Amino acid sequence: MVVIQAGADMIQNANALDFVRLQYRHCKPILSIASDALLSEAGIPATLPDGSVDPALIVEKDECQTTSLEQFKKALEGHRSFARETPMPRA
């Protein structure tokens, strides 16, 4: 599980980007609060490989809103989103 509320400095932090990528690849639920740029910079796709909505990737555009909290709780119940699993990239 990851909750991200990123500032501009995190986008330039290689460790933060790598951590988010690893959590995504491990199919963990991610709640992003006003941090679209970090997800984009980390290369996290907005949808599943088949193009459908990823129920375990919740993006809240406004940090003052909490409407996505219930959706995130539901994603946590599933522990992982195996629908986003893809083959490991080759070096």
Side-chain angles (χ1 to χ4, degrees):
M1 159 194 75
V2 179
V3 177
I4 306 166
Q5 186 172 7
D9 56 332
M10 284 186 67
I11 295 170
Q12 298 171 8
N13 184 324
N15 290 328
L17 294 171
D18 194 40
F19 178 79
V20 172
R21 283 185 202 111
L22 285 172
Q23 296 309 300
Y24 181 83
R25 290 208 46 81
H26 285 272
C27 304
K28 297 293 188 170
I30 298 172
L31 172 59
S32 168
I33 303 169
S35 55
D36 299 2
L38 179 71
L39 294 177
S40 178
E41 187 68 26
I44 305 300
T47 60
L48 293 171
D50 67 2
S52 63
V53 173
D54 185 342
L57 179 62
I58 299 96
V59 178
E60 186 67 65
K61 303 281 186 193
D62 184 358
E63 61 187 46
C64 295
Q65 297 292 323
T66 57
T67 56
S68 300
L69 191 55
E70 290 302 317
Q71 186 181 359
F72 187 57
K73 287 179 185 178
K74 186 169 180 76
L76 288 174
E77 291 173 4
H79 185 62
R80 293 180 189 251
S81 177
F82 290 109
R84 76 165 74 128
E85 212 168 27
T86 58
M88 288 295 291
R90 295 186 179 248

